[in-house]
Amino acid sequence: MAVSPVTIRFKAKLLRPATPRRALWSFLLVPKASSATFPTRSMVTVNGTLAGHPFQASLQPDGESSHWLKVTKALREAAGISEGDTVELAMTPVTDEPEPRLPADLRAALDANANAKAQWLAITAIARRDCIQWITSGKKAQTRGNRIATACSMLAAGKRRICCFDRSGIYSKAFTAPKVAE
């Protein structure tokens, strides 16, 4: 019998990121106690309300066993809130993970490798999202290209997940919440 996801309610302060200096987006930190009720310490997609305004977004891991939420300018304006405001949120994890947006360079590599593409289509949306996150988290273009080649090789060999990818960022320190602007 399937368990219905629980709605998590909390308040958080809307923050401005230190970089980029003129960011159009804001963010908020999910309190650890609230974050602990989500099914995973890694990225989790939620349906929610921000100051009463509905949204769907993916919470990002902060590498500290919690999450943070990027709030776009459009969402902030629709909710009628400003940076520095403490806002009420309600979030429920989605039951079916949405399909991630496939980057053009990865799409081209998969199109060029029939076995990798077949495996890509056979894995879950979460596994595809994790693979994309691993590829796009590389800081250099060369790293991204190497990761695309590695991912295609692994997929073509029948692997369903990226080996040794720390989805939560806890061990690798690969993911962190943005630093707060002063």
Side-chain angles (χ1 to χ4, degrees), residues 63-128:
E64 302 284 331
S65 298
S66 193
H67 295 91
W68 65 278
L69 172 67
K70 182 176 184 177
V71 179
T72 64
K73 179 182 177 185
L75 177 56
R76 187 177 66 237
E77 289 175 349
I81 59 175
S82 300
E83 291 169 345
D85 291 351
T86 297
V87 295
E88 292 188 22
L89 292 104
M91 297 180 185
T92 306
V94 297
T95 52
D96 292 317
E97 190 69 28
E99 190 61 37
R101 190 177 62 79
L102 189 60
D105 51 357
L106 178 56
R107 178 185 311 276
L110 291 170
D111 286 345
N113 186 327
N115 290 336
K117 187 170 186 173
Q119 183 69 343
W120 179 262
L121 296 173
I123 61 177
T124 67
I126 291 173
R128 288 189 288 271

Short mmCIF file of all heavy atoms in Angstrom, two decimals, residues 63-128:
data_model
loop_
_atom_site.label_atom_id
_atom_site.label_comp_id
_atom_site.label_asym_id
_atom_site.label_seq_id
_atom_site.Cartn_x
_atom_site.Cartn_y
_atom_site.Cartn_z
N GLY A 63 24.67 19.80 1.41
CA GLY A 63 25.88 19.13 1.87
C GLY A 63 25.97 19.06 3.38
O GLY A 63 26.96 18.57 3.93
N GLU A 64 24.94 19.54 4.07
CA GLU A 64 24.90 19.55 5.54
C GLU A 64 23.68 18.78 6.04
O GLU A 64 23.15 19.10 7.11
CB GLU A 64 24.85 21.00 6.05
CG GLU A 64 25.99 21.87 5.59
CD GLU A 64 27.27 21.59 6.34
OE1 GLU A 64 27.20 21.17 7.50
OE2 GLU A 64 28.35 21.77 5.74
N SER A 65 23.20 17.82 5.26
CA SER A 65 22.02 17.01 5.59
C SER A 65 20.72 17.81 5.55
O SER A 65 19.75 17.47 6.21
CB SER A 65 22.15 16.33 6.95
OG SER A 65 23.25 15.46 6.94
N SER A 66 20.70 18.90 4.80
CA SER A 66 19.50 19.70 4.66
C SER A 66 19.35 20.14 3.21
O SER A 66 20.04 19.61 2.33
CB SER A 66 19.57 20.91 5.61
OG SER A 66 18.30 21.53 5.70
N HIS A 67 18.44 21.07 2.96
CA HIS A 67 18.15 21.53 1.61
C HIS A 67 18.06 23.06 1.57
O HIS A 67 17.90 23.70 2.60
CB HIS A 67 16.80 20.98 1.15
CG HIS A 67 16.76 19.50 1.01
ND1 HIS A 67 16.39 18.67 2.04
CD2 HIS A 67 17.06 18.69 -0.02
CE1 HIS A 67 16.45 17.40 1.64
NE2 HIS A 67 16.85 17.39 0.38
N TRP A 68 18.10 23.58 0.35
CA TRP A 68 17.83 24.99 0.11
C TRP A 68 16.97 25.10 -1.13
O TRP A 68 16.93 24.20 -1.96
CB TRP A 68 19.11 25.82 -0.01
CG TRP A 68 19.99 25.52 -1.18
CD1 TRP A 68 20.90 24.50 -1.27
CD2 TRP A 68 20.07 26.23 -2.42
NE1 TRP A 68 21.54 24.54 -2.49
CE2 TRP A 68 21.05 25.60 -3.21
CE3 TRP A 68 19.41 27.35 -2.92
CZ2 TRP A 68 21.37 26.04 -4.49
CZ3 TRP A 68 19.73 27.79 -4.20
CH2 TRP A 68 20.71 27.14 -4.96
N LEU A 69 16.24 26.21 -1.24
CA LEU A 69 15.32 26.43 -2.35
C LEU A 69 15.68 27.71 -3.08
O LEU A 69 15.78 28.78 -2.46
CB LEU A 69 13.87 26.53 -1.84
CG LEU A 69 12.82 26.94 -2.87
CD1 LEU A 69 12.66 25.86 -3.94
CD2 LEU A 69 11.50 27.24 -2.19
N LYS A 70 15.89 27.61 -4.38
CA LYS A 70 16.10 28.79 -5.22
C LYS A 70 14.72 29.36 -5.54
O LYS A 70 13.83 28.65 -6.01
CB LYS A 70 16.82 28.38 -6.51
CG LYS A 70 17.14 29.54 -7.43
CD LYS A 70 17.94 29.06 -8.63
CE LYS A 70 18.36 30.20 -9.51
NZ LYS A 70 19.20 29.72 -10.63
N VAL A 71 14.55 30.67 -5.28
CA VAL A 71 13.29 31.35 -5.52
C VAL A 71 13.50 32.32 -6.67
O VAL A 71 14.25 33.30 -6.53
CB VAL A 71 12.80 32.09 -4.25
CG1 VAL A 71 11.49 32.82 -4.53
CG2 VAL A 71 12.64 31.12 -3.09
N THR A 72 12.88 32.05 -7.79
CA THR A 72 13.04 32.91 -8.95
C THR A 72 12.38 34.26 -8.72
O THR A 72 11.51 34.41 -7.85
CB THR A 72 12.41 32.28 -10.21
OG1 THR A 72 11.00 32.16 -9.99
CG2 THR A 72 13.02 30.91 -10.52
N LYS A 73 12.79 35.23 -9.50
CA LYS A 73 12.20 36.57 -9.42
C LYS A 73 10.70 36.49 -9.68
O LYS A 73 9.90 37.12 -8.98
CB LYS A 73 12.87 37.51 -10.43
CG LYS A 73 12.31 38.91 -10.43
CD LYS A 73 12.99 39.78 -11.49
CE LYS A 73 12.35 41.16 -11.51
NZ LYS A 73 12.91 41.98 -12.60
N ALA A 74 10.30 35.69 -10.67
CA ALA A 74 8.88 35.55 -11.01
C ALA A 74 8.08 34.98 -9.83
O ALA A 74 6.99 35.48 -9.53
CB ALA A 74 8.71 34.67 -12.25
N LEU A 75 8.61 33.97 -9.17
CA LEU A 75 7.91 33.38 -8.02
C LEU A 75 7.85 34.38 -6.87
O LEU A 75 6.82 34.54 -6.22
CB LEU A 75 8.59 32.07 -7.58
CG LEU A 75 8.02 31.39 -6.34
CD1 LEU A 75 6.52 31.10 -6.49
CD2 LEU A 75 8.79 30.11 -6.04
N ARG A 76 8.97 35.06 -6.62
CA ARG A 76 9.01 36.05 -5.54
C ARG A 76 7.97 37.15 -5.78
O ARG A 76 7.22 37.51 -4.88
CB ARG A 76 10.43 36.63 -5.45
CG ARG A 76 10.65 37.55 -4.27
CD ARG A 76 12.09 38.04 -4.19
NE ARG A 76 12.43 38.89 -5.32
CZ ARG A 76 13.43 38.67 -6.16
NH1 ARG A 76 14.23 37.64 -6.02
NH2 ARG A 76 13.66 39.50 -7.16
N GLU A 77 7.91 37.65 -7.01
CA GLU A 77 6.95 38.71 -7.32
C GLU A 77 5.51 38.20 -7.27
O GLU A 77 4.62 38.89 -6.77
CB GLU A 77 7.27 39.31 -8.69
CG GLU A 77 8.54 40.14 -8.68
CD GLU A 77 8.94 40.67 -10.04
OE1 GLU A 77 8.38 40.23 -11.08
OE2 GLU A 77 9.85 41.53 -10.09
N ALA A 78 5.27 36.98 -7.76
CA ALA A 78 3.92 36.42 -7.73
C ALA A 78 3.43 36.22 -6.29
O ALA A 78 2.25 36.39 -6.00
CB ALA A 78 3.88 35.09 -8.49
N ALA A 79 4.36 35.85 -5.40
CA ALA A 79 4.01 35.65 -4.00
C ALA A 79 3.95 36.97 -3.22
O ALA A 79 3.50 36.99 -2.08
CB ALA A 79 5.02 34.70 -3.34
N GLY A 80 4.41 38.06 -3.84
CA GLY A 80 4.37 39.37 -3.20
C GLY A 80 5.30 39.49 -2.01
O GLY A 80 4.95 40.12 -1.01
N ILE A 81 6.48 38.91 -2.14
CA ILE A 81 7.45 38.94 -1.04
C ILE A 81 8.75 39.58 -1.50
O ILE A 81 8.99 39.71 -2.70
CB ILE A 81 7.71 37.52 -0.49
CG1 ILE A 81 8.23 36.60 -1.59
CG2 ILE A 81 6.45 36.95 0.15
CD1 ILE A 81 8.63 35.21 -1.13
N SER A 82 9.56 39.98 -0.53
CA SER A 82 10.85 40.62 -0.82
C SER A 82 11.95 39.94 -0.03
O SER A 82 11.69 39.31 1.00
CB SER A 82 10.80 42.10 -0.42
OG SER A 82 9.79 42.77 -1.13
N GLU A 83 13.17 40.11 -0.51
CA GLU A 83 14.33 39.59 0.24
C GLU A 83 14.32 40.20 1.63
O GLU A 83 14.01 41.38 1.80
CB GLU A 83 15.62 39.93 -0.51
CG GLU A 83 15.75 39.14 -1.79
CD GLU A 83 16.87 39.61 -2.69
OE1 GLU A 83 17.41 40.71 -2.49
OE2 GLU A 83 17.20 38.85 -3.62
N GLY A 84 14.62 39.37 2.62
CA GLY A 84 14.59 39.80 4.01
C GLY A 84 13.30 39.43 4.71
O GLY A 84 13.25 39.39 5.94
N ASP A 85 12.24 39.15 3.94
CA ASP A 85 10.97 38.74 4.55
C ASP A 85 11.07 37.32 5.09
O ASP A 85 11.74 36.46 4.50
CB ASP A 85 9.83 38.76 3.52
CG ASP A 85 9.44 40.16 3.06
OD1 ASP A 85 9.93 41.14 3.66
OD2 ASP A 85 8.65 40.25 2.10
N THR A 86 10.40 37.08 6.20
CA THR A 86 10.23 35.72 6.70
C THR A 86 8.89 35.24 6.16
O THR A 86 7.87 35.91 6.35
CB THR A 86 10.27 35.67 8.24
OG1 THR A 86 11.57 36.11 8.66
CG2 THR A 86 10.03 34.26 8.74
N VAL A 87 8.91 34.13 5.46
CA VAL A 87 7.72 33.65 4.74
C VAL A 87 7.31 32.27 5.22
O VAL A 87 8.12 31.49 5.72
CB VAL A 87 7.97 33.63 3.22
CG1 VAL A 87 8.18 35.03 2.69
CG2 VAL A 87 9.15 32.75 2.85
N GLU A 88 6.03 31.99 5.06
CA GLU A 88 5.49 30.67 5.39
C GLU A 88 5.53 29.80 4.15
O GLU A 88 5.18 30.25 3.05
CB GLU A 88 4.07 30.79 5.91
CG GLU A 88 3.98 31.47 7.24
CD GLU A 88 2.57 31.41 7.84
OE1 GLU A 88 1.79 30.53 7.46
OE2 GLU A 88 2.29 32.26 8.69
N LEU A 89 5.95 28.56 4.35
CA LEU A 89 5.99 27.59 3.26
C LEU A 89 5.29 26.31 3.66
O LEU A 89 5.28 25.94 4.84
CB LEU A 89 7.44 27.26 2.88
CG LEU A 89 8.21 28.40 2.25
CD1 LEU A 89 9.17 28.98 3.25
CD2 LEU A 89 8.93 27.92 1.03
N ALA A 90 4.73 25.64 2.67
CA ALA A 90 4.20 24.29 2.83
C ALA A 90 4.70 23.52 1.62
O ALA A 90 4.62 24.02 0.49
CB ALA A 90 2.68 24.31 2.88
N MET A 91 5.28 22.34 1.85
CA MET A 91 5.84 21.55 0.75
C MET A 91 5.48 20.08 0.91
O MET A 91 5.52 19.55 2.01
CB MET A 91 7.37 21.66 0.73
CG MET A 91 7.89 23.02 0.48
SD MET A 91 9.71 22.97 0.50
CE MET A 91 10.07 24.69 0.34
N THR A 92 5.17 19.46 -0.21
CA THR A 92 4.89 18.03 -0.25
C THR A 92 5.75 17.42 -1.35
O THR A 92 5.70 17.89 -2.50
CB THR A 92 3.40 17.78 -0.57
OG1 THR A 92 2.60 18.50 0.36
CG2 THR A 92 3.07 16.30 -0.51
N PRO A 93 6.55 16.40 -1.05
CA PRO A 93 7.33 15.75 -2.11
C PRO A 93 6.39 15.19 -3.19
O PRO A 93 5.32 14.67 -2.87
CB PRO A 93 8.06 14.61 -1.38
CG PRO A 93 8.04 14.99 0.06
CD PRO A 93 6.78 15.79 0.26
N VAL A 94 6.80 15.32 -4.44
CA VAL A 94 5.98 14.77 -5.53
C VAL A 94 6.05 13.25 -5.50
O VAL A 94 7.03 12.67 -5.04
CB VAL A 94 6.43 15.30 -6.91
CG1 VAL A 94 6.27 16.80 -7.00
CG2 VAL A 94 7.84 14.88 -7.25
N THR A 95 4.99 12.61 -5.98
CA THR A 95 4.99 11.15 -6.02
C THR A 95 5.67 10.63 -7.29
O THR A 95 6.24 9.56 -7.28
CB THR A 95 3.55 10.59 -5.93
OG1 THR A 95 2.74 11.23 -6.92
CG2 THR A 95 2.96 10.87 -4.55
N ASP A 96 5.60 11.42 -8.37
CA ASP A 96 6.27 11.06 -9.63
C ASP A 96 7.22 12.18 -10.01
O ASP A 96 6.79 13.31 -10.26
CB ASP A 96 5.26 10.84 -10.75
CG ASP A 96 4.40 9.62 -10.52
OD1 ASP A 96 4.94 8.59 -10.11
OD2 ASP A 96 3.17 9.71 -10.74
N GLU A 97 8.51 11.85 -10.04
CA GLU A 97 9.54 12.85 -10.36
C GLU A 97 9.35 13.33 -11.80
O GLU A 97 9.20 12.53 -12.73
CB GLU A 97 10.92 12.21 -10.20
CG GLU A 97 12.05 13.17 -10.28
CD GLU A 97 12.13 14.13 -9.09
OE1 GLU A 97 11.69 13.77 -7.99
OE2 GLU A 97 12.67 15.23 -9.29
N PRO A 98 9.34 14.65 -12.03
CA PRO A 98 9.21 15.16 -13.40
C PRO A 98 10.46 14.85 -14.23
O PRO A 98 11.55 14.68 -13.68
CB PRO A 98 9.04 16.67 -13.22
CG PRO A 98 9.57 16.97 -11.86
CD PRO A 98 9.44 15.73 -11.04
N GLU A 99 10.27 14.80 -15.52
CA GLU A 99 11.38 14.51 -16.44
C GLU A 99 12.34 15.70 -16.44
O GLU A 99 11.92 16.84 -16.61
CB GLU A 99 10.84 14.27 -17.85
CG GLU A 99 11.85 13.75 -18.82
CD GLU A 99 12.44 12.41 -18.42
OE1 GLU A 99 11.72 11.55 -17.88
OE2 GLU A 99 13.66 12.23 -18.65
N PRO A 100 13.64 15.47 -16.24
CA PRO A 100 14.60 16.58 -16.26
C PRO A 100 14.83 17.10 -17.68
O PRO A 100 14.63 16.37 -18.65
CB PRO A 100 15.88 15.95 -15.70
CG PRO A 100 15.77 14.50 -16.04
CD PRO A 100 14.30 14.18 -15.98
N ARG A 101 15.25 18.35 -17.77
CA ARG A 101 15.58 18.95 -19.07
C ARG A 101 16.94 18.42 -19.52
O ARG A 101 17.91 18.49 -18.78
CB ARG A 101 15.61 20.47 -18.95
CG ARG A 101 15.72 21.18 -20.29
CD ARG A 101 15.68 22.68 -20.14
NE ARG A 101 16.79 23.21 -19.37
CZ ARG A 101 18.02 23.39 -19.84
NH1 ARG A 101 18.31 23.06 -21.08
NH2 ARG A 101 18.97 23.88 -19.06
N LEU A 102 16.98 17.87 -20.71
CA LEU A 102 18.20 17.26 -21.24
C LEU A 102 19.07 18.32 -21.91
O LEU A 102 18.65 18.95 -22.88
CB LEU A 102 17.82 16.17 -22.24
CG LEU A 102 18.91 15.26 -22.76
CD1 LEU A 102 19.57 14.49 -21.63
CD2 LEU A 102 18.33 14.28 -23.78
N PRO A 103 20.30 18.55 -21.40
CA PRO A 103 21.20 19.52 -22.04
C PRO A 103 21.52 19.11 -23.48
O PRO A 103 21.63 17.91 -23.78
CB PRO A 103 22.46 19.48 -21.17
CG PRO A 103 22.02 18.91 -19.86
CD PRO A 103 20.89 17.97 -20.19
N ALA A 104 21.69 20.09 -24.34
CA ALA A 104 21.92 19.82 -25.77
C ALA A 104 23.14 18.96 -26.02
O ALA A 104 23.11 18.05 -26.88
CB ALA A 104 22.03 21.14 -26.53
N ASP A 105 24.24 19.19 -25.28
CA ASP A 105 25.45 18.41 -25.52
C ASP A 105 25.28 16.95 -25.10
O ASP A 105 25.77 16.04 -25.77
CB ASP A 105 26.68 19.03 -24.86
CG ASP A 105 26.51 19.38 -23.39
OD1 ASP A 105 25.41 19.21 -22.83
OD2 ASP A 105 27.50 19.86 -22.78
N LEU A 106 24.53 16.71 -24.05
CA LEU A 106 24.25 15.32 -23.64
C LEU A 106 23.30 14.67 -24.63
O LEU A 106 23.48 13.50 -25.00
CB LEU A 106 23.69 15.28 -22.22
CG LEU A 106 23.31 13.89 -21.69
CD1 LEU A 106 24.49 12.92 -21.76
CD2 LEU A 106 22.77 14.00 -20.26
N ARG A 107 22.31 15.41 -25.10
CA ARG A 107 21.36 14.88 -26.09
C ARG A 107 22.12 14.43 -27.35
O ARG A 107 21.89 13.35 -27.88
CB ARG A 107 20.31 15.92 -26.46
CG ARG A 107 19.32 15.44 -27.54
CD ARG A 107 18.35 16.54 -27.97
NE ARG A 107 17.73 17.23 -26.87
CZ ARG A 107 16.64 16.82 -26.23
NH1 ARG A 107 16.07 15.69 -26.58
NH2 ARG A 107 16.14 17.53 -25.24
N ALA A 108 23.05 15.26 -27.82
CA ALA A 108 23.82 14.93 -29.02
C ALA A 108 24.66 13.67 -28.79
O ALA A 108 24.74 12.81 -29.67
CB ALA A 108 24.72 16.10 -29.40
N ALA A 109 25.27 13.55 -27.61
CA ALA A 109 26.09 12.37 -27.31
C ALA A 109 25.23 11.11 -27.25
O ALA A 109 25.63 10.05 -27.74
CB ALA A 109 26.84 12.57 -25.99
N LEU A 110 24.05 11.21 -26.67
CA LEU A 110 23.15 10.05 -26.60
C LEU A 110 22.64 9.68 -27.99
O LEU A 110 22.51 8.50 -28.32
CB LEU A 110 21.98 10.33 -25.65
CG LEU A 110 22.33 10.42 -24.18
CD1 LEU A 110 21.15 10.94 -23.38
CD2 LEU A 110 22.80 9.07 -23.65
N ASP A 111 22.34 10.69 -28.80
CA ASP A 111 21.89 10.43 -30.18
C ASP A 111 22.96 9.72 -31.00
O ASP A 111 22.65 8.96 -31.92
CB ASP A 111 21.48 11.73 -30.88
CG ASP A 111 20.15 12.27 -30.38
OD1 ASP A 111 19.40 11.53 -29.71
OD2 ASP A 111 19.87 13.47 -30.63
N ALA A 112 24.23 9.93 -30.65
CA ALA A 112 25.34 9.32 -31.38
C ALA A 112 25.68 7.93 -30.86
O ALA A 112 26.52 7.25 -31.45
CB ALA A 112 26.58 10.22 -31.29
N ASN A 113 25.03 7.48 -29.79
CA ASN A 113 25.35 6.18 -29.19
C ASN A 113 24.04 5.46 -28.88
O ASN A 113 23.42 5.68 -27.83
CB ASN A 113 26.18 6.40 -27.91
CG ASN A 113 26.68 5.12 -27.29
OD1 ASN A 113 26.02 4.09 -27.36
ND2 ASN A 113 27.83 5.19 -26.66
N ALA A 114 23.62 4.58 -29.77
CA ALA A 114 22.32 3.90 -29.65
C ALA A 114 22.18 3.10 -28.35
O ALA A 114 21.12 3.10 -27.73
CB ALA A 114 22.10 2.99 -30.86
N ASN A 115 23.25 2.41 -27.93
CA ASN A 115 23.17 1.61 -26.71
C ASN A 115 23.01 2.50 -25.47
O ASN A 115 22.24 2.19 -24.56
CB ASN A 115 24.40 0.71 -26.55
CG ASN A 115 24.43 -0.40 -27.57
OD1 ASN A 115 23.40 -0.79 -28.11
ND2 ASN A 115 25.61 -0.89 -27.87
N ALA A 116 23.75 3.60 -25.44
CA ALA A 116 23.63 4.54 -24.32
C ALA A 116 22.24 5.16 -24.29
O ALA A 116 21.63 5.28 -23.23
CB ALA A 116 24.70 5.62 -24.42
N LYS A 117 21.73 5.51 -25.46
CA LYS A 117 20.40 6.12 -25.53
C LYS A 117 19.32 5.14 -25.08
O LYS A 117 18.39 5.51 -24.36
CB LYS A 117 20.10 6.63 -26.93
CG LYS A 117 18.80 7.41 -27.00
CD LYS A 117 18.62 8.10 -28.32
CE LYS A 117 17.39 8.99 -28.28
NZ LYS A 117 17.27 9.80 -29.48
N ALA A 118 19.44 3.89 -25.48
CA ALA A 118 18.46 2.87 -25.07
C ALA A 118 18.45 2.72 -23.55
O ALA A 118 17.38 2.64 -22.93
CB ALA A 118 18.76 1.54 -25.75
N GLN A 119 19.63 2.70 -22.95
CA GLN A 119 19.71 2.58 -21.49
C GLN A 119 19.18 3.84 -20.82
O GLN A 119 18.50 3.77 -19.80
CB GLN A 119 21.15 2.28 -21.04
CG GLN A 119 21.31 2.06 -19.56
CD GLN A 119 20.66 0.78 -19.06
OE1 GLN A 119 19.82 0.16 -19.70
NE2 GLN A 119 21.05 0.38 -17.88
N TRP A 120 19.49 5.01 -21.39
CA TRP A 120 18.99 6.28 -20.87
C TRP A 120 17.46 6.26 -20.78
O TRP A 120 16.87 6.68 -19.78
CB TRP A 120 19.46 7.43 -21.76
CG TRP A 120 18.98 8.78 -21.32
CD1 TRP A 120 17.90 9.46 -21.80
CD2 TRP A 120 19.56 9.61 -20.31
NE1 TRP A 120 17.78 10.67 -21.15
CE2 TRP A 120 18.79 10.78 -20.23
CE3 TRP A 120 20.66 9.48 -19.48
CZ2 TRP A 120 19.07 11.81 -19.35
CZ3 TRP A 120 20.96 10.51 -18.60
CH2 TRP A 120 20.16 11.66 -18.54
N LEU A 121 16.84 5.76 -21.83
CA LEU A 121 15.37 5.71 -21.86
C LEU A 121 14.82 4.67 -20.89
O LEU A 121 13.66 4.77 -20.49
CB LEU A 121 14.89 5.44 -23.29
CG LEU A 121 15.23 6.54 -24.30
CD1 LEU A 121 14.87 6.10 -25.71
CD2 LEU A 121 14.54 7.85 -23.92
N ALA A 122 15.63 3.71 -20.49
CA ALA A 122 15.18 2.64 -19.60
C ALA A 122 15.34 2.99 -18.11
O ALA A 122 14.71 2.35 -17.27
CB ALA A 122 15.96 1.35 -19.90
N ILE A 123 16.16 3.99 -17.78
CA ILE A 123 16.38 4.31 -16.37
C ILE A 123 15.29 5.28 -15.88
O ILE A 123 14.55 5.86 -16.67
CB ILE A 123 17.79 4.89 -16.12
CG1 ILE A 123 18.03 6.19 -16.88
CG2 ILE A 123 18.86 3.85 -16.46
CD1 ILE A 123 19.38 6.85 -16.61
N THR A 124 15.22 5.46 -14.58
CA THR A 124 14.20 6.33 -13.99
C THR A 124 14.51 7.80 -14.20
O THR A 124 15.66 8.18 -14.47
CB THR A 124 14.08 6.07 -12.48
OG1 THR A 124 15.30 6.50 -11.84
CG2 THR A 124 13.81 4.61 -12.17
N ALA A 125 13.50 8.63 -14.03
CA ALA A 125 13.69 10.08 -14.13
C ALA A 125 14.68 10.56 -13.07
O ALA A 125 15.47 11.47 -13.33
CB ALA A 125 12.35 10.80 -13.98
N ILE A 126 14.67 9.94 -11.89
CA ILE A 126 15.62 10.34 -10.83
C ILE A 126 17.04 9.99 -11.25
O ILE A 126 17.96 10.79 -11.06
CB ILE A 126 15.25 9.68 -9.49
CG1 ILE A 126 13.94 10.28 -8.97
CG2 ILE A 126 16.37 9.85 -8.46
CD1 ILE A 126 13.39 9.62 -7.74
N ALA A 127 17.25 8.82 -11.83
CA ALA A 127 18.59 8.44 -12.30
C ALA A 127 19.05 9.38 -13.41
O ALA A 127 20.21 9.79 -13.45
CB ALA A 127 18.60 7.00 -12.77
N ARG A 128 18.14 9.77 -14.32
CA ARG A 128 18.49 10.72 -15.38
C ARG A 128 18.84 12.08 -14.77
O ARG A 128 19.82 12.71 -15.17
CB ARG A 128 17.35 10.85 -16.39
CG ARG A 128 17.19 9.62 -17.28
CD ARG A 128 16.21 9.85 -18.41
NE ARG A 128 14.84 9.93 -18.00
CZ ARG A 128 14.01 8.89 -17.90
NH1 ARG A 128 14.44 7.67 -18.17
NH2 ARG A 128 12.76 9.06 -17.52
#
